[in-house]
Every structure is written in C-alpha cells, then in structure tokens.
Amino acid sequence: MHPFLLASANDAATAIAAHAADPDLAYIAGGTDLIGLMKDRAALPKRLLDINTLPDMARIEALPDGGLRIGALARMSDVAAHPDVRRRFPVIAEALLFAASGQLRNMASMGGNIMQRTRCAYFRDEDDLPCNKRRPGSGCSALHGLNRNHAIFGWSEACVATNPSDVAVALAALDATVAVRGLAGERTIPFTGFYRLPGETPERDNVLGRGDLIVSIEVPAGAEGRASHYLKIRDRQSYEFAVVSAAAAVAVDGRRIRSARLALGGVAHKPWRLTAAEVALRSASLGDIEALKSALATSFTDARPLAHNAFKVELAQRVALRALQAAGARA
Amino acid sequence: MNAIGQPISRFDGRLKVTGAARYTADIPLADATHAAIVHSTIANGRTVSIDTTTAEKAPGVFAVFTHRTMPRMNPTPKPWSHLHPHGQSYLPLQDDQIHYAGQPVALVVAGTLDQAAYAGTLIRVEYDARRPVVFGSQATKEAVDPPQFLWPVASSVGDADKAVAAAAVKIEQTYTTSDRHHNQMEPHATTAAWDADGTLTLYETTQHIFGTRELLSIVLGIPEEKINVVSQFLGGGFGGKAYVWPHTLLAALAAKVLKRPVRLQLTRAQMYAMVGHQPATIQTIALGAGKDGKLTGIRHDSISPTPIFDSYIEYAGLVSRSLWAVSGGITTKHKVVHVHRNTPTAMRSPHEALGHFALESAMDELAYAIGIDPVALRLRNDTQLDPHSGRPFSTRAMRECLRAGGARFGWDKRTPEPRSMRDGRDLIGQGMAGAIYTHWRWPAKARVTLKRDGSAVVETGTHELGAGTYTVMQQVAADTLGLAPEKVTVRLGDTRLPASHASIGSSTMANAGASVMLAAKAARDRAIDLTLTGRNAPFAGAVRGDVLISDGRLMLARTNLQITYAELLARNGLATLVGDGDYDPVEEANGPKAVFSFAAVFAEVRVDPDLGLVRLNRFVGAYDAGRIINPKTARSQAIGGIIWGVGQALLEQSETDPVLGRFLNRNYSGYLVPTNADIPQLETLFVGEFDEEASPLGAKGLGELTAVSVAPAIANAVYHATGKRVRELPITVEKLL
Amino acid sequence: MNPAATVTRGTGENTVVGDDARVPIGLTVNGRVRTMTVEPRTTLLDALRDELGLTGTKKACDRGECGACTVHVDGRRLLSCMTLAAMQDGKQITTIEGLERDGNLHAIQAAFIEHDGFQCGFCTPGQIMSAVAMIEEAKADWPSAATTDVGRPFTIAELSAAEIRERMSGNLCRCACYPNIVDAVAEAAARS
Ligand SMILES: Cc1cc2nc3c(=O)[nH]c(=O)nc-3n(C[C@H](O)[C@H](O)[C@H](O)COP(=O)(O)OP(=O)(O)OC[C@H]3O[C@@H](n4cnc5c(N)ncnc54)[C@H](O)[C@@H]3O)c2cc1C
Ligand code: SF4
Ligand code: FES
Ligand code: FES
C-alpha cells in the first residue's frame, strides 16, 4: 500500500470536522472494503481516521415500538446474531448471514457495509483500467466488455455497475433510514434516497458529502418485518456476492397480501425497489402464482439488460417470487 | 507389521497443524530484501519509455531493473524437456516488446515488501499499444498445426472417418472448456541468495527442484554444482509449479547484482499471468456406433490458445486414443491459435480432465440415442487391449470400477428418463463417466541410511505438495527395512539430496517411491550381509533367505538367533549403513504393456429448475490406481480431485476481456473455486491391485485420475435432471434457465 | 490507540498531525506482550509474519478472499490481511502458534491430523483458527446461512455437517480437503 497517516478520534464532532476539512482523509471502520480498495489503488487516501474509538456507535437497540436502531459501528455478525433482529426482521439477519464470511462479518461494520463500493472487476483492478467510477472521464470498460455481473436497471452509458451490499437490499425493502451527522448537524435519509444512480457522475455512489458520518441505521416497526425473507442467488454456495438477490416483506390478511415490499440486489447501482409490483401485489393471494408473477412483471418493463446479463431479467423475477412466497410463509 | 496399506496419519501432520512447517516465503533469512514486479497493463505492443527516477528515490528502494538494466539471459534450451523445463520461452526484461498483459516490465527491490510495491507504482511506463488477438469465435479459422510437444500432435488408428460415416448411430458435437487457473493457496515465491563463492541457493515454490536447477544453469549460464534448489513444503502445486517461470529468473539475477538475498512472492493477481494456466479448449467429437452400442469410430479434434511465442498443446484428444474399444478407427488431432497471452501449462489434470468432458459427455449422448444404460454402454466397450498401441493393459479394473461404484451409488435405482426423478420442488439427476489416466515413468534416486541408534533416514530429492510424500516414503522405507514407521525420518526437497524427478502426473509414489524402496532394500541387504559375514557374524553360515526382519530386529528362521540393527552396526564398528536406490525404468511407450489408471465415477445433482441452480448432492468414485500405499492420504487425494472436478464443472473460468485482452477477475472473488459449502459427503473406493508393470511398489497414479471425468458425470447428471445438455463448461445459472 | 498522529479535540483546521514514520504499538500475541514500531500501512498479517516472525499465519490472497490469514483478536476470528496492525494496538491476538497448551495439541489440531483435514497444509492454520472460534460462535447462539429458521435460538447440538460447511466456507482450501475438515470439526465440536 501507499504510505498514509493513521489517526483516531474520540468524539464525533472532531471526526466530522477533520473529514470535512480534508479531502484526502477517509474514515475507516472494519477496513474490509477500504483496505482492499487501497491495495488495489482504487482509493488513495493520504490520511485514515479510525472511527472505532467513537463512543456509542456500536449499539444495537430494539426500540419499544418494534423498530430497531443499529449503530454504524455494530459488526455484521453481532447484528445477525442479535435476538431482536432475528425475531423482528429475519430478512436483515439473513441478508447479513449470506454475505461475506464469518471472519469478515466479525470485522465489518454496518456503516462500512452500506458504504462499500461496487465489485465491478474493472473498477477494482489494480492496473487502473478505463473506468468512469474510478477515474471520471476514462470510459466504462464494462459497457462493451464483460458485464454479466452488471446492471439491468437504471444504468447509464457512463457506468453499468451494481451495488454489492446484501443488507442494503433488506434495509431498502424495509424502508429503513440512515442517520447521518455532518457539519450542519444530524439528518435522516430514507434508504431509498441514500444511493444514487450513476448518471453522468458514477464516481459518487450515494448522497453523502464531506464530513458526513453515518451514526446509525433505523428500521421502522411494521407488520411486514417479521414475515420477511432474503433470497440470494450466487454461483457458489457461500462466500460470494449475489448474482441476483431479493428481499421481501409482507403483511397479509389470511392468504391475501395487504402490503408487500420488495427490493432486488445485483441488478442496479442501488438496491432496486419494485415499486410498481408492490402496488400490483396488493390484495393478490399468495397462493395464486400466476397473479403474483404478472404483478411482479410490472416492475420489469423497464429492464435493460446488457450483452451478458439478459438472463437476470427472468431470474430476478423468479427470485423475487420465491422470496415473496417464503416471506409469506412466515406471515 | 506392514505399514504399507495402513491409513497412517501424516508424518508431517504436527508441523502443519501448528504452523511450524516452513513454506518458501516463511524461511527466515537475515539481510533479505523484498522484490516486487511491475507488469504491463497492455497485452500487445512495446514499451516506449520507462521512467524510474521517482521510484529509485522512494524510501527503502535499493534498485529498479528494467529491460535496459537487467542482465542478459541465455535462451531457453530447445527442444523443451522435462529435464530443464521452462514455463515459457520468452524471457523477462530482455527487450521492449509486450506480448501479453501482466508481463514484467520492471522489478523493484527494497527493504520491505510495502516499499517495493509502492515504489513500483511510481514507475511511469509509456506504451505503444496495439490491439491484442484474443481467443474467441475466430479461433477455428485461425487454428494452426503446432510442432510436437509431449506426444504426437495427431494420431490415427484404422479409418475413423469411414467408420463414423458408415455407423448406424452417430453423435457429432462440439464441447468447450474454459480457461482456468491453478490458484494454489500458496502464491509462487522465490528467495535467491548467493554466497561469497558464487553459489546460488534458491528457495523456490517448485514441484521440480532438479529441473529448476538445470534450467537456471542454462539460462543464467552458471554451472549446476553452483546452484542449490530447496523446496521442502509446497502449498499446492497442481502442475503450476512444475516448470520455471520468469519471476524466478528475475529474483536470481537481482540477488546476484545486489549481492543480497532477494525474496519475491507473486501477488494473487500476478498468479494469473506471471505463471501458467489451463487453456480453454474447443473440442469436436464424432462417435460412430452400432445399434448394440459398440463403438466403431471416434474422431476427436481439439483447438486451444497458445501465446505468440510458444506452442503449448492441451492434448484433449489423448483420452479417446485408449479409453474404449473401437472397431473401425480412432483419429485425434490438436491445433492451436496464437494469441496475446502467456504460456499455458499443465494443470490438474492436464489433457485428460478436458478430453474426458467431451468424450464421456458424447458417450452419454450415445447411450441416450441408442436407449441403453450408460454403465452398460461402457461395459460393452470395455477392453483389455489398448486400442492405440495394440498392447495389452498391464492391469485394467474398469469393470470392477463400474460394478463396485455403481453398486455403492445405487445406480440400479435410477430411472433413465430425463426429469423423471424429483425431490420436492427440485429435480434430481444422476450421471456417470469412465476415466483413464496416463502413467508416467521417470528415473529416480534415493539414499537410505541406517543409523546406530536403530533409526533410519530416507533422503531423496522429491517433493511434498500435499499428497503425503513424507508419510508414504516413510511407510515404504519402514516396510522394506522392517522398522516401525516412527523410526524412519524422511528428508526431501533439496538438490543436495539424490536426484529425483518432477512431482507431476501423479508419478511420485510409483517412481520416487520405487527409488526409496530400492535404497531401503540395498541398506537392508548390506545389513543382512553383515549378519552372515560381518564381524562376529551372528548368522554365519546361514542362507540369506532365512534372515527375517521385524521391528528393527534381524532374525534367523527356525532359531532363536537375533540381532537388532543397532547392535549389528555397533558390533561392526559402523556409525551408519547406507543403501543407494537407483530406479531407472524403461519409458512407458517402450514397455511391453500399456499402463494406465482407471476410474468410474457417479454423481447425483439437485437442480432447482426455476432458479437454474445446480448443487452436487452426492458422489461416488471407484478407482483403479494399482496398490494403495496409504488409504488415508489416498482418500484425501481422491476427494481433492473430485472437488477439482466440481470446480471445473460448475464454477471455474478465467474470462478474458475482449478489448483489453487480459484475464479479468484475477482474484478469489472473481475466480470461483469451490468452498466447503459446495461439497457434500464424497465416497471413494479403491479397487485396483498390485501392478508390477507400473512400479515395483505396484502403485499407479491417483491424484490426477480423480479429477478426471467428474465434469462429464455432473454434466450428464444435469442432463438427466433437466433434459438440457450443457456442452460448455462451467454449467452456470444462465445455461439452465 | 497510540499512533503518532492523533486527532485531538478542537485543534482547528489542521486537525490531523503526524508523519509517515513508524508508530509504536503493543500487541499481546499468544499471551506475550510484544511492542514494536510499524508503519501505519502495515497490516496485522505483515506485522505478525515480518516483525514477529510468526509465519504460521499465511498470506494467500491479501484481499480478504480466502481465510488463510485468520487469527483471533480478543477471541474473535478475523482476517489479519484486512486490518492494520496499528488499529489493533492493545489487543489480544492468538495465532496458530499459540494454540498448543504445554506441548499438547488443541483438540481441533489433533482432529485435523486424525481426519487428514489437510494436504499441503498451507490453508490449515487459517482453517484451524477459524474452526476454534467458530465453535464458540455456535455455542453463543449465533445462526448461519445454513440455519433454516434464524428467528429461533441456535444450540450447538444443531451444528450439523451443513452448518459446519457453511460456517467454514470463509476458508478456502485448494487441495480441497473439505469433507475431512468437516469430519475433524464435527468431532472436536462434539467433544467440546
Ligand atoms: C471477500 C469479500 C467478500 C464479501 N462478500 C460480501 C457479500 O457477499 N455481501 C456483502 O454485503 N458484502 C460483502 N463484502 C463486503 C463487506 O461486507 C464490506 O467490506 C464491509 O461491510 C465493509 O465494512 P467495514 O466496516 O469493513 O468498512 P470499511 O472498509 O472500514 O469502510 C468502507 C467505507 O465506508 C466508509 N465508512 C465506514 N464507516 C462509516 C461511517 N460510519 N460513516 C461514513 N462512512 C463510513 C469508509 O470511509 C469507507 O469508505 C465482502 C467483502 C470481502 C472482502
Ligand atoms: S461499470 Fe462503472 S465501475 Fe464498472 S467499469 Fe464501468 S464505470 Fe467503472
Ligand atoms: S490472505 Fe487474508 S483472506 Fe486471504
Ligand atoms: S491443504 Fe492445501 S490448500 Fe488446504
């Protein structure tokens, strides 16, 4: 790795001020993404600020109303093992458990997880290949290169990458919010508005700016939480990012869907909510497969596959269906 | 008290589970410097300028080498030979040409690895880039005939074309396999240290210390006696560490110039182009058969990529020359396409693992075309005569493999109709394949020393790659000497020991093992001599054949007379008693019999038809690898091979970017090897018997045999499950949707 | 934490100070306090191998993708190639060299030998370190991706072969000893 400085902070305000003032400074939590990026020279911060010493940011709280507050420094494994997370929102525990490996989950923080950058192989290559996300203006190698693992929704000519986080898919489906503290104080960003589509500026993954520190993630209470499921399709059985994944949460009256929330992973620059399908699914019967299928299909009319990932359009619908059924079975 | 045949735990087990086993990059060396290679980011062209000024001034840097400053090397010897095997003929940092992405363009030597690697990023290389040629759809048009490499490039027995044309049933299909990488867990590493008198000691991740020494001697122009090569523990080889690759030469020369030891370990990403890989193949097979399933003709052609500067051949057609009886004729042919990449190399199991996918898939297609059970089809085409050479097989327990494997698997409960077996929502598929694997014979030397304390030391320049060499050599020596295995110490992996061969092609047991047996025999015979004619000879006047040895004790039959090795040496005033073993077999092709290993393997898969997911449910392999020396380590070899086959079938592929002409995904995240969760329980059966033609130990090759035919068995099972015939490996989700 | 550069409260615009010289750190490794100076960029893996000569911990990918570098930090398994040594200042580290007690192998080490849970042995230190901690995780009611109902408490009795496979999947083995590793871990878990 390149030489850099390492410092730590004891309170959030100092950390935020330092980050805001210094464009070459990066927060580091578990390090499992940032250090990999630095080794491959896709991130070259001159200064690292270790935020693990910040107080009160690793807590996992079961809120009295049935919701959750997960500190940004809580480790993936602790969140996945937390009894209230498992009972109230199995989709979160599952999304975490299907991610990475036992060792990585012990290191990786929730804040770092939702901040992790794309696994596009061109972006991560140490040889600095043409990539607009890595070097704006250099072109997108994946657009006409190998793009099986890339987007089918919401991409631009500038970038066709996908967001790799599993738990972000679950959180997006649950309408979670991200609590961020910045120079101007604390604000709450709905998960669905946290990530950006690539557009002309794929170098920016999300809406955070200099200084912004993720403090926690809040998951609202809701009937859909308990009846939820995460389904991840990958080429090998473990320790791999998703080819396609789906998070589903439903509330039902008998077998009839009262409300459904669905998000897909591995298909876009951000977790992809199936908003149209969610509307179409209302009052459909969980037993009526054909009705479920055609409701889901309404969200795929705008799918735009690339040369190597046309299969994802069909696969994603089947995965969403299966996730929905499994969530329904928990209702 | 026979050690051979016992499931003995590994002699080196304790070292390996405590972290005490020292692999090449673990060897402490005072004063060592660290080197990092800077590689080309383009695949074709030349370097116009290389600016090293900033790098040279970076903290900790001792030197930066480019093609302008690296000392010259002698060309690699022609023809290529296992005695001095180069991985590729194109040598590093000798000119400004770029022939593949990942080619070395500079070498930085610094105090720490971080310093060297970082300084490397400060080097500015300006390229004159041209569009690379990649292996793709144009391949068949641009394929050319390569010069002969390991075997004849083409073969023909009878008239295959005529036989296929006239056959009652024909299968003609194209099958493809992907580029794959060894991805041993241990990255290639080398530490070069020159001493004051100009002797080079090279700690090297190699499966072939003597070949490395000889090649270095030629290319670097130094006498062999001035080179020691050491490799005592290898973190996996799989063929990838059998030949000498460019980085080793760079480390040796840099250390010479700097007069300090240089350590160089490839990064994981560099493991994809700095060393070899298994090339993709496009194979066309035509089978002709009668309605009874008897084969009348096979035509098997294969095309694979090779670099601009070398002609590596993947002999995928080899398997069709000898696996099944064919009445009319067999032809095989291999062509290559020159593209911008580095030289491919042998990878578990070269040639065979690729060829079997095509042949044994086609056999399954034939079984379905005729409506005959796939096992019955193989039985019908079994033969005791090698169709290629006309020689009888030394031993061929194919029938036994098919029978025992099928019985263990429960093949008779299979319903042949595709999509006819289910478990809940999932489709169940069962498939099988037969397998054959080449036997290699090499000369090998060993020395066994009996010591005055009654223990023995085995010394031989062979290698431990994970197959259990330390343990099996201990067993062989122990039995031959009549000692308990704990009394035998094994030393290997150093060119100062008696010369042995490359540990490739599953040949170590049969060949290096034979040399150890001969050496132990020689030591034992000298001991027996002493009991008959030595000082104060205890059995004076007796006949040799009456001397028995057990547990370190020599005894005379039908008497109470006995003496231990320890007492015998003491009585004769000897500190040691040495036996030399020199195994020098005839080349396989010149032997009276054809020697091969055989297998029949059975796979059951579970397919989620909606999601296109294939998972291996269970697997049974029945193997004829001659006599098994250690069933415990043999089973490990077998499960390893099966899992390699699972990787080939379902996961592994190194994709080349069509524009950049480089392997993308040069890491364990993008190149998928199986994880623990991908593998169910695996059953292995050993049905072979002592094969004296193969080796004095009766052993045939095992490790690579077991990786052969897993892919077609799985592909055949996928067909049985789904009715979809996948002819392109690996079988990924999109091929089944 | 004791780095040369520290963010101190309210120091104004230039809050980060220090240089890229080596920073002093103290780690308790296998029960012994070890002090050393490292560059901030030195990973825990490189510090163990190059500074302390503890070469049992292996570098196979250096990217968090294989598990060969697994060690325990404060009792948890993690990947030493993906964390900085200076970030672990003051922590308790256990490496493969620290598992033996009074010359006796740890039960998992012995089970690996008995079940031939390795071939070349290169991934083995990582496998073993991972297995030791994994059994503790299972005892602590941690579910896995192989757990059918994460909503229910998990007990060690449910540590089936499928559970072990999934929980050990962060450790690649190219020699591919997986079934034997599962047998070794199952035996040791049952005895623990
Ligand atoms: C081999 C491998 C496999 C993986 N597989 C998966 C997988 O299958 N699914 C999956 O979801 N993930 C996977 N991951 C990714 C892993 O989950 C992330 O690397 C991890 O969650 C990042 O967390 P961290 O604490 O280590 O982040 P760090 O690496 O410390 O930080 C990552 C980024 O987040 C920023 N950051 C961290 N905390 C904050 C904060 N509080 N506020 C603002 N910014 C912050 C950092 O500045 C940095 O830019 C895998 C990773 C590896 C290496
Ligand atoms: S898809 Fe995005 S990240 Fe990947 S190469 Fe294109 S611009 Fe870069
Ligand atoms: S070396 Fe750390 S995970 Fe591979
Ligand atoms: S034992 Fe060789 S990699 Fe696992």
Side-chain angles (χ1 to χ4, degrees):
Chain A
M1 273 183 281
H2 66 287
F4 53 81
L5 300 180
L6 176 68
S8 65
N10 297 322
D11 72 285
T14 317
I16 291 164
H19 193 273
D22 183 352
D24 290 319
L25 180 143
Y27 297 135
I28 184 164
T32 61
D33 194 45
L34 187 56
I35 290 179
L37 291 168
M38 287 164 66
K39 286 177 175 178
D40 289 325
R41 304 181 56 72
L44 292 168
K46 295 198 177 105
R47 283 162 290 276
L48 290 188
L49 186 56
D50 182 351
I51 57 173
N52 291 292
T53 42
L54 294 180
D56 299 329
M57 270 178 52
R59 241 181 303 179
I60 305 166
E61 290 166 86
L63 303 175
D65 67 350
L68 278 180
R69 185 182 297 126
I70 306 170
L73 288 174
R75 274 18 195 192
M76 289 170 75
S77 52
D78 293 314
V79 178
H82 196 281
D84 290 308
V85 176
R86 287 153 71 182
R87 272 195 299 268
R88 293 183 182 183
F89 302 100
V91 65
I92 294 178
E94 287 170 337
L96 290 167
L97 293 171
F98 276 83
S101 69
Q103 293 95 312
L104 284 162
R105 294 192 295 269
N106 279 340
M107 308 172 75
S109 68
M110 292 296 286
N113 185 296
I114 64 172
M115 290 293 286
Q116 66 176 295
R117 307 211 69 193
T118 182
R119 301 307 290 198
C120 170
Y122 298 97
F123 169 74
R124 296 220 169 217
D125 198 292
E126 60 173 330
D127 288 350
D128 202 2
L129 306 177
C131 167
N132 290 323
K133 195 185 266 301
R134 178 160 168 157
R135 207 161 18 98
S138 62
C140 171
S141 293
L143 184 62
H144 299 295
L146 302 174
N147 49 36
R148 175 183 191 255
N149 297 327
H150 292 73
I152 57 172
F153 289 113
W155 52 266
S156 68
E157 296 272 318
C159 178
V160 295
T162 56
N163 182 298
S165 168
D166 285 299
V167 77
V169 180
L171 294 168
L174 294 171
D175 284 319
T177 56
V178 186
V180 176
R181 239 179 106 176
L183 279 181
E186 191 153 333
R187 64 195 195 276
T188 299
I189 307 171
F191 225 85
T192 38
F194 182 73
Y195 296 110
R196 300 178 64 257
L197 287 178
E200 291 306 306
T201 49
E203 67 276 16
R204 292 191 56 206
D205 297 344
N206 53 48
V207 299
L208 295 193
R210 291 303 316 163
D212 285 345
L213 175 75
I214 301 173
V215 180
S216 65
I217 296 163
E218 282 172 39
V219 190
E224 297 92 340
R226 186 179 281 273
S228 64
H229 181 64
Y230 189 70
L231 177 62
K232 179 173 177 180
I233 303 301
R234 39 187 169 178
D235 291 306
R236 73 180 175 191
Q237 192 87 306
S238 190
Y239 206 3
E240 199 201 351
F241 291 92
V243 174
V244 167
S245 67
V250 286
V252 292
D253 291 319
R255 294 282 285 156
R256 223 156 259 298
I257 296 174
R258 182 145 42 89
S259 91
R261 300 159 180 215
L262 287 161
L264 295 177
V267 296
H269 202 250
K270 60 180 191 177
W272 196 253
R273 272 295 281 267
L274 301 183
T275 337
E278 288 175 13
V279 174
L281 282 167
R282 255 179 235 147
S283 67
S285 164
L286 276 170
D288 185 350
I289 308 280
E290 289 314 313
L292 300 181
K293 276 189 184 165
S294 48
L296 286 170
T298 58
S299 275
F300 284 81
T301 49
D302 54 347
R304 284 184 300 148
L306 302 160
H308 304 125
N309 68 8
F311 71 98
K312 279 190 184 178
V313 178
E314 179 60 33
L315 181 62
Q317 295 182 63
R318 296 186 190 183
V319 172
L321 174 65
R322 186 74 68 82
L324 183 63
Q325 290 173 309
R330 287 189 171 147
Chain B
M1 190 220 56
N2 262 346
I4 291 182
Q6 298 303 315
I8 291 177
S9 290
R10 287 170 197 257
F11 177 54
D12 49 354
R14 195 178 177 105
L15 290 176
K16 286 181 176 173
V17 301
T18 57
R22 284 205 197 275
Y23 300 80
T24 299
D26 301 338
I27 292 166
L29 213 57
D31 215 25
T33 62
H34 295 263
I37 294 178
V38 179
H39 56 252
S40 79
T41 55
I42 64 160
N44 180 22
R46 63 184 188 92
T47 56
V48 176
S49 69
I50 306 178
D51 180 356
T52 59
T53 37
T54 325
E56 279 162 26
K57 285 188 222 119
V61 171
F62 295 119
V64 179
F65 297 89
T66 67
H67 68 91
R68 295 187 194 285
T69 50
M70 181 52 73
R72 297 301 88 165
M73 304 176 189
N74 298 321
T76 53
K78 286 195 176 59
W80 189 93
S81 160
H82 276 119
L83 295 175
H84 41 65
H86 56 264
Q88 66 181 38
S89 65
Y90 183 66
L91 295 171
L93 301 190
Q94 301 293 297
D95 60 36
D96 64 356
Q97 298 299 300
I98 300 295
H99 296 308
Y100 58 95
Q103 178 183 320
V105 293
L107 182 81
V108 184
V109 185
T112 70
L113 181 54
D114 266 329
Q115 288 171 334
Y118 175 63
T121 67
L122 301 176
I123 293 175
R124 294 283 155 261
V125 185
E126 207 188 308
Y127 297 100
D128 170 11
R130 288 186 289 273
R131 188 163 179 130
V133 181
V134 300
F135 188 66
S137 48
Q138 92 299 1
T140 33
K141 272 182 272 142
E142 292 172 10
V144 297
D145 295 315
Q148 176 164 338
F149 178 45
L150 296 174
W151 296 277
V153 174
S155 74
S156 182
V157 173
D159 190 338
D161 287 342
K162 203 170 116 203
V164 171
V169 190
K170 268 175 261 187
I171 299 292
E172 183 151 14
Q173 288 295 353
T174 299
Y175 303 86
T176 63
T177 63
S178 293
D179 287 314
R180 291 165 73 210
H181 279 85
H182 303 75
N183 263 313
Q184 307 94 337
M185 291 296 291
E186 177 196 36
H188 286 246
T190 182
T191 301
W194 297 78
D195 67 17
D197 81 346
T199 298
L200 167 65
T201 301
L202 193 77
Y203 300 91
E204 176 71 20
T205 50
T206 178
Q207 305 170 231
H208 194 6
I209 48 176
F210 286 94
T212 301
R213 182 174 75 167
E214 195 164 323
L215 188 87
L216 250 73
S217 158
I218 296 168
V219 174
L220 304 186
I222 35 177
E224 275 188 45
E225 320 77 78
K226 292 261 179 194
I227 308 175
N228 305 319
V229 182
V230 180
S231 166
Q232 283 167 340
F233 285 100
L234 199 62
F238 315 116
K241 294 172 180 169
Y243 306 160
V244 181
W245 298 99
H247 65 277
T248 301
L249 303 167
L250 294 179
L253 281 182
K256 186 173 188 184
V257 172
L258 292 174
K259 300 193 168 60
R260 281 185 70 172
V262 170
R263 170 162 296 162
L264 174 58
Q265 183 158 19
L266 298 187
T267 63
R268 179 57 50 187
Q270 287 176 338
M271 295 280 286
Y272 290 77
M274 212 62 78
V275 292
H277 59 276
Q278 180 176 83
T281 59
I282 301 172
Q283 303 176 50
T284 314
I285 276 221
L287 297 183
K291 288 219 166 61
D292 58 358
K294 288 210 164 137
L295 290 167
T296 56
I298 304 180
R299 202 170 49 227
H300 191 163
D301 299 335
S302 179
I303 301 173
S304 54
T306 193
I308 302 301
F309 47 80
D310 274 333
S311 286
Y312 177 86
I313 306 171
E314 198 65 46
Y315 285 88
L318 196 65
V319 33
S320 290
R321 296 177 185 175
S322 296
L323 182 52
W324 304 119
V326 180
S327 57
I330 305 171
T331 65
T332 68
K333 198 163 73 243
H334 301 92
K335 286 182 178 257
V336 297
V337 182
H338 290 281
V339 301
H340 288 97
R341 63 162 74 191
N342 63 318
T343 310
T345 197
M347 171 168 143
R348 186 184 197 177
S349 309
H351 324 299
E352 274 94 344
L354 312 177
H356 276 83
F357 172 61
L359 177 60
E360 289 300 280
S361 293
M363 285 292 279
D364 201 63
E365 300 203 39
L366 179 64
Y368 275 96
I370 299 175
I372 170 177
D373 177 74
V375 172
L377 179 70
R378 267 79 173 186
L379 284 169
R380 210 158 284 181
N381 288 290
D382 189 28
T383 170
Q384 289 298 326
L385 217 56
D386 172 18
H388 180 66
S389 66
R391 296 174 298 172
F393 289 112
S394 55
T395 52
R396 170 171 165 128
M398 177 59 87
R399 229 159 243 285
E400 196 43 32
C401 289
L402 289 164
R403 203 200 53 73
R408 177 65 64 88
F409 185 80
W411 184 257
D412 56 344
K413 293 188 208 65
R414 171 182 185 265
T415 55
E417 206 52 42
R419 302 182 75 90
S420 64
M421 297 175 76
R422 280 175 184 269
D423 179 19
R425 182 163 46 196
D426 292 342
L427 295 165
I428 300 294
Q430 300 183 335
M432 57 81 54
I436 184 167
Y437 194 81
T438 306
H439 185 74
W440 294 93
R441 288 193 235 202
W442 319 101
K445 291 190 170 72
R447 180 165 58 231
V448 168
T449 306
L450 276 164
K451 300 210 297 196
R452 200 147 175 180
D453 62 1
S455 68
V457 178
V458 175
E459 294 173 303
T460 178
T462 187
H463 320 82
E464 160 59 6
L465 289 63
T469 312
Y470 282 103
T471 313
V472 291
M473 296 307 165
Q474 184 191 38
Q475 289 174 273
V476 167
D479 272 16
T480 314
L481 293 168
L483 276 181
E486 313 79 79
K487 293 268 183 202
V488 181
T489 306
V490 178
R491 293 186 52 211
L492 44 76
D494 193 318
T495 47
R496 286 161 284 202
L497 301 174
S500 198
H501 55 89
S503 287
I504 53 171
S506 308
S507 60
T508 302
M509 190 69 259
N511 299 282
S515 73
V516 168
M517 190 184 96
L518 294 177
K521 228 179 210 156
R524 180 191 71 191
D525 287 349
R526 289 194 55 200
I528 294 176
D529 287 346
L530 292 176
T531 64
L532 301 173
T533 61
R535 186 186 299 170
N536 201 355
F539 312 155
V543 292
R544 298 186 70 84
D546 279 345
V547 182
L548 313 170
I549 314 179
S550 167
D551 214 6
R553 202 171 284 280
L554 299 102
M555 296 163 291
L556 190 62
R558 298 178 301 277
T559 73
N560 286 334
L561 296 175
Q562 50 170 275
I563 186 167
T564 63
Y565 278 129
E567 289 160 356
L568 187 67
L569 265 68
R571 185 175 296 184
N572 287 277
L574 296 173
T576 61
L577 200 59
V578 177
D580 290 308
D582 188 349
Y583 180 59
D584 195 8
V586 291
E587 266 186 52
E588 204 284 325
N590 302 331
K593 296 193 174 161
V595 185
F596 290 91
S597 312
F598 299 93
V601 301
F602 300 81
E604 181 179 288
V605 299
R606 168 185 294 276
V607 182
D608 185 319
D610 292 337
L611 306 180
L613 291 177
V614 182
R615 300 295 183 221
L616 186 66
N617 235 5
R618 60 196 185 91
F619 192 95
V620 175
Y623 306 102
D624 166 14
R627 178 167 68 153
I628 299 301
I629 307 298
N630 183 333
K632 189 182 262 193
T633 55
R635 176 177 148 81
S636 290
Q637 284 275 290
I639 61 177
I642 296 165
I643 296 167
W644 268 67
V646 175
Q648 181 193 21
L650 301 177
L651 299 172
E652 293 177 39
Q653 55 181 329
S654 287
E655 287 188 287
T656 301
D657 180 89
V659 179
L660 305 169
R662 53 160 46 225
F663 290 122
L664 203 65
N665 280 315
R666 299 170 302 150
N667 51 59
Y668 277 135
S669 280
Y671 185 93
L672 302 179
V673 303
T675 65
N676 206 323
D678 291 283
I679 305 303
Q681 270 306 325
L682 308 172
E683 291 193 76
T684 54
L685 307 172
F686 299 106
V687 304
E689 297 191 344
F690 196 99
D691 186 329
E692 62 182 357
E693 205 57 49
S695 158
L697 284 167
K700 303 195 279 191
L702 174 67
E704 304 204 74
L705 168 73
T706 56
V708 162
S709 262
V710 179
I714 289 176
N716 295 343
V718 166
Y719 173 74
H720 181 230
T722 63
K724 284 204 183 101
R725 180 67 68 181
V726 182
R727 301 189 183 88
E728 293 168 10
L729 294 184
I731 305 171
T732 44
V733 177
E734 55 266 51
K735 294 174 188 163
L736 291 177
L737 276 183
Chain C
M1 178 97 241
N2 185 20
T6 318
V7 177
T8 41
R9 244 168 257 226
T11 43
E13 64 308 319
N14 188 17
T15 48
V16 179
V17 292
D19 56 37
D20 66 344
R22 297 164 77 93
V23 295
I25 61 166
L27 305 173
T28 306
V29 183
N30 300 329
R32 270 180 65 201
V33 178
R34 310 289 295 260
T35 54
M36 68 196 98
T37 60
V38 294
E39 286 187 86
R41 64 180 162 179
T42 303
T43 60
L44 177 60
L45 173 62
D46 285 345
L48 291 170
R49 288 180 57 85
D50 299 340
E51 303 294 327
L52 300 180
L54 293 170
T55 53
T57 307
K58 301 298 184 223
K59 183 190 283 187
C61 73
D62 209 24
R63 291 294 185 285
E65 297 168 348
C66 78
C69 63
T70 304
V71 299
H72 298 173
V73 174
D74 290 346
R76 283 191 169 205
R77 53 172 170 165
L78 50 76
L79 301 176
S80 59
C81 73
M82 294 300 272
T83 187
L84 303 174
M87 287 174 69
Q88 303 302 336
D89 187 28
K91 301 279 174 65
Q92 300 271 345
I93 318 279
T94 308
T95 71
I96 189 72
E97 290 91 347
L99 273 195
E100 276 174 282
R101 284 283 164 274
D102 311 321
N104 294 321
L105 294 180
H106 187 285
I108 301 255
Q109 291 174 309
F112 264 68
I113 295 181
E114 175 57 28
H115 291 276
D116 214 30
F118 54 90
Q119 292 178 40
C120 78
F122 198 80
C123 72
T124 312
Q127 301 276 1
I128 290 174
M129 295 311 288
S130 194
V132 171
M134 180 279 276
I135 292 173
E136 296 308 314
E137 293 171 2
K139 284 183 182 162
D141 172 32
W142 286 20
S144 84
T147 311
T148 357
D149 184 359
V150 295
R152 283 197 11 245
F154 183 86
T155 65
I156 183 91
E158 296 167 78
L159 194 65
S160 60
E163 284 281 356
I164 294 174
R165 283 178 201 135
E166 164 57 26
R167 291 165 191 259
M168 289 300 293
S169 278
N171 292 84
L172 301 182
C173 174
R174 189 55 162 162
C175 297
C177 310
Y178 299 129
N180 291 359
I181 292 171
V182 173
D183 290 347
V185 174
E187 188 203 286
R191 280 204 272 121
S192 77

